[in-house]
Amino acid sequence: MKTNVNLGMAAMSPETHPLTWRYSQAVGPVLDIGHYQDMEGYVALRRALQDMQPADIQQRVKDSKLRGRGGAGFPTGIKWSLVPMGPKAGQKYLICNADEMEPGTFKDRVLMENLPHQLIEAMIITAYALQTTKAFIFLRGEYGLAAARLNQAIGEVRVAGLLGTDILGTGFSLDLQVHTGAGRYICGEETALINSLEGRRANPRAKPPFPQILGAWGRPTNVNNVETLCHIPGIILRGAEWFKGLSCGKSPDSGTKLYGVSGRAWRTGLWELPIGTTARELLEVHAGGMAEGLELMCWLPGGASTDFLLPEHLDLAMDYDTIMKAGSRMGTGLMIVIDHQQNIVSVVRNLEEFMARESCGWCTPCREGLPWIVKVLKALERGQGETGDIEWLQGMTRHLGIGRTFCAHAPGAMEPLQSALKFFRQAFEKGISAIHPSDPPGQAS
Amino acid sequence: MSTVDFKSMNPITPAFAFSAEEQAEIEQAIHHYEHPRAALIDVLKIVQKYRRWVEDGAIPAIANSLGIAVADVEGVATFYNRIYRRPVGRHVIALCDSVSCFLTGFDLVHASLQQRLGIQSGETTADNRFTLLPVSCLGVCDHGPALMIDNTTHCPVTPGNLQRILEQYP
């Protein structure tokens, strides 16, 4: 599937664009192992396995201050450090979370379809660093092209002796398997993902214990996002200081980030930029602004479960802490722009319908609350809302908020709703019917 | 590990039996995992590949082949979006209704599809050619609106190019 990557950007090198330089220089996918090896492929793997101890790699990743690119932004090195090490640790698992289904997000698909070897190299290094002998790529079932290309690449790596038993004569062995899912948004939640991998309903598990201690089949399990893992080879080759410098002083966070734009912008796509690049640069310079005749009404920084932000927030750095301080979350970092011709009530209804459908049904507030919210939003959309609906919706944002539900699904769903009610209350008020059967006669509000 | 003998507890519907091909593929899938239960989603997909959907009779048979409870198989088989428990047509159209496609013309494509096929979302055409279902974000948000027919994603879809896309699926 053709995606615009780094459109309009100047020359790219491994030093500046560690995730996408191969794709940009090759002007297309790098699928064949020979092609990948001609472009610095598996050099980091050799260095890691032959010259470094697992503890050195873990320390380097910790020093790099890499934060999880799946949306939560948890420091990867710290996540890894929770995995028990040493001869008594027993069977452990590494899982790549490739269940990309966050609305508006298409970065992991692009990485896997076009650079499958990059992810495989990253996973072998990570498995070595964590001393796990079994790894899975949990891929969403709809990503058929990615599955085919990853499986093809895994076959090539096995033949090349870089995957399997006694890799490069180091004594380290790894089995890597692609597991394709059957479609459910909640599988992206790491404990739900583990249940799904085990062949169960994808209901999240209670934390703690964290998966690093008690994960798949009761064994220590580390789950990382595709984009997060793809940064590992670069960090091995060029070091933690180089990685920190990639943000070019735009953010205390380190590295580059795959940012994206979707919605009715002038041009949509994906750009690898220093983390902390402003939303304005992303939208106005790279995406060329909004499509002709359209104005920006609001935007979602990174998926359906992030709060809306306004045009006045465009100068914020797109990093975890800055967007958090502004009252939203960076999430996946692929912004969705909503133009002034859209009905914000309809947009929110669309987001909540998605969330209601994808609720796993485990806990009551989420299972019952989300469909009820959709019902009320649909009434407001038709102009048949009742007096008090807005206050009721505001109340629901608290009842489905953090601490009231089993996992983060419903609280995430409340983020766009609460921010839309805050910024666009008038649009919701317009949906309240002037005369309603429940009003006392002659008392139309 | 459980010591319950699920096999003796699971009622088998006599009318149902796996074909030789299914049986072989199921055994291969189980072989891929250390724990047979982990093969459940793969097994459901295998049955669906040959029958287009997973009929009720298949559930106890799958449970027996994996050595797990019927209720567990039923639970999983009703949880995931891409496992069908009612008959579907020769081709399944999964139309993305997530926000990026919603902003770029989902409504128009949806209306056009329903009109051309003469069915609503969730239904199958009388000639059994197409079933229309909603799907969450297909990950091609920069080229929406998108839909997936069987395993192929098409985008951007417009009421104008819809006919040409549908023609590829006789």
Side-chain angles (χ1 to χ4, degrees), chain A residues 261-311:
Chain A
V261 178
S262 70
R264 296 206 281 178
W266 178 253
R267 60 183 179 195
T268 48
L270 205 57
W271 291 270
E272 182 177 6
L273 298 166
I275 197 163
T277 296
T278 64
R280 186 180 300 284
E281 181 185 329
L282 180 60
L283 176 60
E284 293 181 359
V285 177
H286 301 290
M290 297 298 288
E292 201 164 339
L294 297 179
E295 281 166 40
L296 179 68
M297 173 166 62
C298 56
W299 51 290
L300 292 164
S305 55
T306 59
D307 290 80
F308 286 103
L309 291 173
L310 298 173

Short mmCIF file of all heavy atoms in Angstrom, two decimals, chain A residues 261-311:
data_model
loop_
_atom_site.label_atom_id
_atom_site.label_comp_id
_atom_site.label_asym_id
_atom_site.label_seq_id
_atom_site.Cartn_x
_atom_site.Cartn_y
_atom_site.Cartn_z
N VAL A 261 0.02 12.91 9.27
CA VAL A 261 -1.15 13.78 9.16
C VAL A 261 -2.20 13.04 8.35
O VAL A 261 -1.91 12.51 7.26
CB VAL A 261 -0.80 15.12 8.46
CG1 VAL A 261 -2.06 15.98 8.32
CG2 VAL A 261 0.27 15.87 9.24
N SER A 262 -3.42 13.00 8.89
CA SER A 262 -4.55 12.52 8.10
C SER A 262 -5.74 13.45 8.33
O SER A 262 -5.70 14.29 9.21
CB SER A 262 -4.90 11.07 8.44
OG SER A 262 -5.46 10.98 9.72
N GLY A 263 -6.77 13.26 7.53
CA GLY A 263 -7.87 14.23 7.49
C GLY A 263 -7.75 15.03 6.22
O GLY A 263 -7.00 14.66 5.32
N ARG A 264 -8.47 16.17 6.14
CA ARG A 264 -8.44 16.91 4.88
C ARG A 264 -7.34 17.97 4.88
O ARG A 264 -7.59 19.18 4.91
CB ARG A 264 -9.82 17.50 4.62
CG ARG A 264 -10.85 16.36 4.41
CD ARG A 264 -12.01 16.78 3.58
NE ARG A 264 -12.98 17.54 4.33
CZ ARG A 264 -14.08 18.06 3.80
NH1 ARG A 264 -14.34 17.89 2.51
NH2 ARG A 264 -14.92 18.74 4.55
N ALA A 265 -6.10 17.49 4.87
CA ALA A 265 -4.94 18.37 4.75
C ALA A 265 -4.54 18.44 3.28
O ALA A 265 -5.02 17.66 2.46
CB ALA A 265 -3.79 17.84 5.58
N TRP A 266 -3.63 19.37 2.96
CA TRP A 266 -3.19 19.53 1.57
C TRP A 266 -2.55 18.25 1.05
O TRP A 266 -2.86 17.74 0.00
CB TRP A 266 -2.20 20.71 1.48
CG TRP A 266 -1.68 20.92 0.09
CD1 TRP A 266 -0.45 20.64 -0.36
CD2 TRP A 266 -2.42 21.44 -1.03
NE1 TRP A 266 -0.34 20.94 -1.69
CE2 TRP A 266 -1.53 21.44 -2.12
CE3 TRP A 266 -3.72 21.91 -1.20
CZ2 TRP A 266 -1.92 21.90 -3.39
CZ3 TRP A 266 -4.12 22.36 -2.45
CH2 TRP A 266 -3.21 22.35 -3.53
N ARG A 267 -1.61 17.73 1.83
CA ARG A 267 -1.11 16.39 1.52
C ARG A 267 -0.92 15.62 2.82
O ARG A 267 -0.46 16.16 3.82
CB ARG A 267 0.19 16.44 0.70
CG ARG A 267 1.32 17.14 1.40
CD ARG A 267 2.53 17.22 0.49
NE ARG A 267 3.61 17.91 1.16
CZ ARG A 267 4.67 18.38 0.52
NH1 ARG A 267 4.79 18.24 -0.77
NH2 ARG A 267 5.63 18.99 1.18
N THR A 268 -1.30 14.37 2.78
CA THR A 268 -1.26 13.56 3.99
C THR A 268 -0.10 12.59 3.86
O THR A 268 0.39 12.32 2.77
CB THR A 268 -2.57 12.78 4.13
OG1 THR A 268 -2.86 12.16 2.88
CG2 THR A 268 -3.72 13.69 4.50
N GLY A 269 0.35 12.07 4.97
CA GLY A 269 1.46 11.12 4.92
C GLY A 269 2.17 11.00 6.25
O GLY A 269 1.62 11.35 7.30
N LEU A 270 3.41 10.53 6.12
CA LEU A 270 4.21 10.19 7.28
C LEU A 270 5.57 10.87 7.13
O LEU A 270 6.14 10.86 6.04
CB LEU A 270 4.40 8.66 7.26
CG LEU A 270 4.67 7.88 8.51
CD1 LEU A 270 3.58 8.10 9.54
CD2 LEU A 270 4.73 6.39 8.15
N TRP A 271 6.06 11.46 8.21
CA TRP A 271 7.37 12.11 8.16
C TRP A 271 8.19 11.73 9.40
O TRP A 271 7.67 11.79 10.51
CB TRP A 271 7.21 13.64 8.12
CG TRP A 271 6.65 14.14 6.83
CD1 TRP A 271 7.33 14.51 5.72
CD2 TRP A 271 5.25 14.34 6.53
NE1 TRP A 271 6.45 14.91 4.73
CE2 TRP A 271 5.18 14.82 5.18
CE3 TRP A 271 4.06 14.16 7.22
CZ2 TRP A 271 3.97 15.11 4.55
CZ3 TRP A 271 2.85 14.45 6.60
CH2 TRP A 271 2.82 14.93 5.27
N GLU A 272 9.43 11.35 9.18
CA GLU A 272 10.32 11.10 10.32
C GLU A 272 11.03 12.40 10.65
O GLU A 272 11.81 12.93 9.85
CB GLU A 272 11.36 10.01 9.98
CG GLU A 272 12.25 9.71 11.19
CD GLU A 272 13.26 8.59 10.95
OE1 GLU A 272 13.38 8.10 9.81
OE2 GLU A 272 13.95 8.23 11.93
N LEU A 273 10.76 12.91 11.84
CA LEU A 273 11.25 14.22 12.25
C LEU A 273 11.81 14.14 13.67
O LEU A 273 11.50 13.22 14.41
CB LEU A 273 10.10 15.24 12.23
CG LEU A 273 9.43 15.49 10.86
CD1 LEU A 273 8.12 16.24 11.04
CD2 LEU A 273 10.37 16.26 9.94
N PRO A 274 12.62 15.14 14.05
CA PRO A 274 13.11 15.16 15.43
C PRO A 274 11.91 15.18 16.39
O PRO A 274 10.94 15.91 16.14
CB PRO A 274 13.88 16.49 15.51
CG PRO A 274 14.24 16.82 14.10
CD PRO A 274 13.14 16.28 13.26
N ILE A 275 11.98 14.39 17.43
CA ILE A 275 10.87 14.43 18.38
C ILE A 275 10.82 15.83 19.01
O ILE A 275 11.86 16.45 19.24
CB ILE A 275 11.00 13.31 19.45
CG1 ILE A 275 9.66 13.11 20.14
CG2 ILE A 275 12.11 13.58 20.45
CD1 ILE A 275 9.54 11.78 20.89
N GLY A 276 9.63 16.33 19.16
CA GLY A 276 9.48 17.69 19.65
C GLY A 276 9.26 18.70 18.54
O GLY A 276 9.11 19.90 18.80
N THR A 277 9.23 18.26 17.31
CA THR A 277 8.87 19.14 16.20
C THR A 277 7.46 19.68 16.49
O THR A 277 6.61 18.95 17.01
CB THR A 277 8.87 18.33 14.88
OG1 THR A 277 10.20 17.89 14.64
CG2 THR A 277 8.40 19.16 13.70
N THR A 278 7.22 20.92 16.15
CA THR A 278 5.91 21.47 16.49
C THR A 278 4.83 20.92 15.55
O THR A 278 5.10 20.56 14.40
CB THR A 278 5.87 23.01 16.39
OG1 THR A 278 6.09 23.38 15.02
CG2 THR A 278 6.92 23.66 17.28
N ALA A 279 3.62 20.91 16.06
CA ALA A 279 2.49 20.49 15.24
C ALA A 279 2.33 21.44 14.06
O ALA A 279 1.92 21.03 12.98
CB ALA A 279 1.22 20.47 16.10
N ARG A 280 2.69 22.71 14.26
CA ARG A 280 2.56 23.67 13.16
C ARG A 280 3.51 23.33 12.01
O ARG A 280 3.11 23.35 10.85
CB ARG A 280 2.83 25.10 13.65
CG ARG A 280 2.57 26.15 12.57
CD ARG A 280 2.83 27.57 13.04
NE ARG A 280 2.01 27.98 14.17
CZ ARG A 280 0.72 28.33 14.10
NH1 ARG A 280 0.09 28.32 12.95
NH2 ARG A 280 0.07 28.70 15.19
N GLU A 281 4.75 22.98 12.35
CA GLU A 281 5.68 22.59 11.29
C GLU A 281 5.16 21.36 10.55
O GLU A 281 5.20 21.29 9.32
CB GLU A 281 7.09 22.32 11.86
CG GLU A 281 8.07 21.95 10.74
CD GLU A 281 9.45 21.53 11.25
OE1 GLU A 281 9.91 22.02 12.29
OE2 GLU A 281 10.08 20.69 10.55
N LEU A 282 4.67 20.42 11.33
CA LEU A 282 4.16 19.19 10.73
C LEU A 282 3.01 19.49 9.76
O LEU A 282 3.01 19.05 8.60
CB LEU A 282 3.69 18.25 11.86
CG LEU A 282 3.13 16.90 11.45
CD1 LEU A 282 4.15 16.08 10.69
CD2 LEU A 282 2.67 16.13 12.70
N LEU A 283 2.06 20.27 10.23
CA LEU A 283 0.88 20.53 9.40
C LEU A 283 1.17 21.53 8.29
O LEU A 283 0.82 21.30 7.13
CB LEU A 283 -0.27 21.05 10.28
CG LEU A 283 -1.54 21.45 9.53
CD1 LEU A 283 -2.13 20.28 8.75
CD2 LEU A 283 -2.59 22.01 10.50
N GLU A 284 1.84 22.63 8.62
CA GLU A 284 1.96 23.71 7.63
C GLU A 284 3.12 23.51 6.67
O GLU A 284 3.00 23.81 5.48
CB GLU A 284 2.05 25.07 8.35
CG GLU A 284 0.72 25.37 9.06
CD GLU A 284 0.70 26.72 9.77
OE1 GLU A 284 1.73 27.42 9.75
OE2 GLU A 284 -0.36 27.04 10.36
N VAL A 285 4.26 23.03 7.16
CA VAL A 285 5.41 22.85 6.28
C VAL A 285 5.32 21.50 5.54
O VAL A 285 5.35 21.45 4.32
CB VAL A 285 6.74 22.94 7.07
CG1 VAL A 285 7.92 22.68 6.15
CG2 VAL A 285 6.85 24.31 7.74
N HIS A 286 5.18 20.43 6.30
CA HIS A 286 5.27 19.11 5.69
C HIS A 286 3.98 18.71 4.99
O HIS A 286 4.00 18.21 3.87
CB HIS A 286 5.72 18.08 6.72
CG HIS A 286 7.05 18.41 7.30
ND1 HIS A 286 8.21 18.32 6.57
CD2 HIS A 286 7.40 18.91 8.51
CE1 HIS A 286 9.23 18.72 7.32
NE2 HIS A 286 8.76 19.08 8.50
N ALA A 287 2.86 18.94 5.66
CA ALA A 287 1.59 18.57 5.03
C ALA A 287 1.05 19.70 4.15
O ALA A 287 0.04 19.52 3.47
CB ALA A 287 0.56 18.19 6.10
N GLY A 288 1.71 20.84 4.16
CA GLY A 288 1.30 21.94 3.29
C GLY A 288 0.02 22.63 3.74
O GLY A 288 -0.64 23.30 2.94
N GLY A 289 -0.35 22.47 5.00
CA GLY A 289 -1.56 23.13 5.52
C GLY A 289 -2.81 22.34 5.20
O GLY A 289 -2.76 21.20 4.75
N MET A 290 -3.92 22.99 5.41
CA MET A 290 -5.20 22.32 5.15
C MET A 290 -5.47 22.31 3.65
O MET A 290 -4.90 23.07 2.89
CB MET A 290 -6.34 23.06 5.88
CG MET A 290 -6.21 23.06 7.40
SD MET A 290 -6.23 21.40 8.12
CE MET A 290 -7.95 20.97 7.91
N ALA A 291 -6.37 21.42 3.22
CA ALA A 291 -6.76 21.39 1.81
C ALA A 291 -7.41 22.72 1.44
O ALA A 291 -7.89 23.46 2.31
CB ALA A 291 -7.73 20.23 1.58
N GLU A 292 -7.42 23.01 0.15
CA GLU A 292 -7.87 24.31 -0.32
C GLU A 292 -9.29 24.65 0.17
O GLU A 292 -10.19 23.83 0.09
CB GLU A 292 -7.84 24.33 -1.84
CG GLU A 292 -7.80 25.75 -2.36
CD GLU A 292 -7.37 25.81 -3.82
OE1 GLU A 292 -6.75 24.84 -4.28
OE2 GLU A 292 -7.68 26.82 -4.44
N GLY A 293 -9.41 25.85 0.70
CA GLY A 293 -10.72 26.32 1.13
C GLY A 293 -11.11 25.86 2.52
O GLY A 293 -12.20 26.22 2.99
N LEU A 294 -10.26 25.09 3.15
CA LEU A 294 -10.63 24.57 4.47
C LEU A 294 -9.79 25.23 5.56
O LEU A 294 -8.62 25.54 5.35
CB LEU A 294 -10.43 23.05 4.53
CG LEU A 294 -11.30 22.22 3.59
CD1 LEU A 294 -10.97 20.74 3.77
CD2 LEU A 294 -12.78 22.47 3.84
N GLU A 295 -10.41 25.40 6.72
CA GLU A 295 -9.68 25.91 7.87
C GLU A 295 -9.66 24.86 8.96
O GLU A 295 -10.58 24.06 9.08
CB GLU A 295 -10.37 27.17 8.41
CG GLU A 295 -10.05 28.41 7.61
CD GLU A 295 -11.02 29.53 7.96
OE1 GLU A 295 -11.34 29.67 9.16
OE2 GLU A 295 -11.45 30.23 7.03
N LEU A 296 -8.61 24.91 9.75
CA LEU A 296 -8.48 23.95 10.85
C LEU A 296 -9.42 24.35 11.99
O LEU A 296 -9.36 25.48 12.47
CB LEU A 296 -7.03 23.93 11.35
CG LEU A 296 -6.73 22.99 12.51
CD1 LEU A 296 -6.85 21.53 12.08
CD2 LEU A 296 -5.33 23.26 13.07
N MET A 297 -10.29 23.41 12.38
CA MET A 297 -11.15 23.68 13.53
C MET A 297 -10.49 23.15 14.81
O MET A 297 -10.43 23.85 15.81
CB MET A 297 -12.51 23.01 13.34
CG MET A 297 -13.41 23.09 14.56
SD MET A 297 -15.14 22.67 14.25
CE MET A 297 -15.03 20.97 13.72
N CYS A 298 -9.98 21.93 14.75
CA CYS A 298 -9.30 21.33 15.89
C CYS A 298 -8.53 20.12 15.41
O CYS A 298 -8.63 19.74 14.25
CB CYS A 298 -10.30 20.94 16.98
SG CYS A 298 -11.59 19.83 16.44
N TRP A 299 -7.77 19.50 16.29
CA TRP A 299 -6.97 18.33 15.88
C TRP A 299 -6.78 17.39 17.04
O TRP A 299 -6.83 17.77 18.20
CB TRP A 299 -5.63 18.78 15.30
CG TRP A 299 -4.83 19.74 16.12
CD1 TRP A 299 -5.13 21.06 16.36
CD2 TRP A 299 -3.60 19.48 16.83
NE1 TRP A 299 -4.17 21.64 17.16
CE2 TRP A 299 -3.21 20.70 17.46
CE3 TRP A 299 -2.78 18.38 16.97
CZ2 TRP A 299 -2.05 20.81 18.23
CZ3 TRP A 299 -1.61 18.48 17.74
CH2 TRP A 299 -1.26 19.69 18.35
N LEU A 300 -6.59 16.13 16.68
CA LEU A 300 -6.27 15.09 17.65
C LEU A 300 -4.78 14.78 17.48
O LEU A 300 -4.35 14.46 16.38
CB LEU A 300 -7.08 13.83 17.37
CG LEU A 300 -8.60 13.92 17.61
CD1 LEU A 300 -9.31 12.76 16.92
CD2 LEU A 300 -8.91 13.92 19.09
N PRO A 301 -3.97 14.89 18.54
CA PRO A 301 -2.52 14.73 18.37
C PRO A 301 -2.09 13.32 17.97
O PRO A 301 -1.10 13.16 17.27
CB PRO A 301 -1.95 15.08 19.74
CG PRO A 301 -3.06 15.66 20.52
CD PRO A 301 -4.34 15.24 19.92
N GLY A 302 -2.82 12.30 18.44
CA GLY A 302 -2.30 10.97 18.11
C GLY A 302 -3.28 9.86 18.40
O GLY A 302 -3.00 8.95 19.17
N GLY A 303 -4.44 9.93 17.73
CA GLY A 303 -5.38 8.82 17.84
C GLY A 303 -6.71 9.21 18.44
O GLY A 303 -6.93 10.35 18.86
N ALA A 304 -7.61 8.21 18.49
CA ALA A 304 -8.98 8.45 18.91
C ALA A 304 -9.09 8.65 20.42
O ALA A 304 -10.10 9.13 20.90
CB ALA A 304 -9.86 7.26 18.50
N SER A 305 -8.06 8.27 21.14
CA SER A 305 -8.16 8.37 22.60
C SER A 305 -7.27 9.49 23.13
O SER A 305 -6.66 9.37 24.18
CB SER A 305 -7.80 7.04 23.25
OG SER A 305 -6.54 6.60 22.82
N THR A 306 -7.17 10.58 22.35
CA THR A 306 -6.44 11.75 22.83
C THR A 306 -7.39 12.95 22.79
O THR A 306 -8.31 12.99 21.97
CB THR A 306 -5.19 12.04 21.97
OG1 THR A 306 -5.57 12.27 20.60
CG2 THR A 306 -4.23 10.86 21.99
N ASP A 307 -7.17 13.91 23.70
CA ASP A 307 -8.05 15.09 23.73
C ASP A 307 -7.84 15.97 22.51
O ASP A 307 -6.71 16.10 22.03
CB ASP A 307 -7.73 15.94 24.97
CG ASP A 307 -8.15 15.28 26.26
OD1 ASP A 307 -7.41 14.39 26.75
OD2 ASP A 307 -9.21 15.64 26.79
N PHE A 308 -8.92 16.60 22.07
CA PHE A 308 -8.81 17.58 20.99
C PHE A 308 -7.94 18.74 21.44
O PHE A 308 -7.97 19.14 22.60
CB PHE A 308 -10.19 18.15 20.64
CG PHE A 308 -11.06 17.20 19.88
CD1 PHE A 308 -12.09 16.52 20.51
CD2 PHE A 308 -10.85 16.98 18.53
CE1 PHE A 308 -12.91 15.64 19.81
CE2 PHE A 308 -11.65 16.10 17.82
CZ PHE A 308 -12.69 15.43 18.46
N LEU A 309 -7.20 19.30 20.50
CA LEU A 309 -6.50 20.55 20.72
C LEU A 309 -6.97 21.53 19.65
O LEU A 309 -7.56 21.13 18.64
CB LEU A 309 -4.98 20.35 20.66
CG LEU A 309 -4.39 19.54 21.84
CD1 LEU A 309 -2.91 19.25 21.59
CD2 LEU A 309 -4.58 20.28 23.17
N LEU A 310 -6.71 22.81 19.89
CA LEU A 310 -7.20 23.88 18.99
C LEU A 310 -6.07 24.41 18.11
O LEU A 310 -4.90 24.11 18.35
CB LEU A 310 -7.77 25.01 19.85
CG LEU A 310 -8.98 24.62 20.72
CD1 LEU A 310 -9.35 25.77 21.64
CD2 LEU A 310 -10.17 24.20 19.86
N PRO A 311 -6.42 25.25 17.11
CA PRO A 311 -5.36 25.86 16.29
C PRO A 311 -4.34 26.62 17.15
O PRO A 311 -3.15 26.65 16.81
CB PRO A 311 -6.13 26.81 15.38
CG PRO A 311 -7.49 26.19 15.26
CD PRO A 311 -7.76 25.56 16.59
#
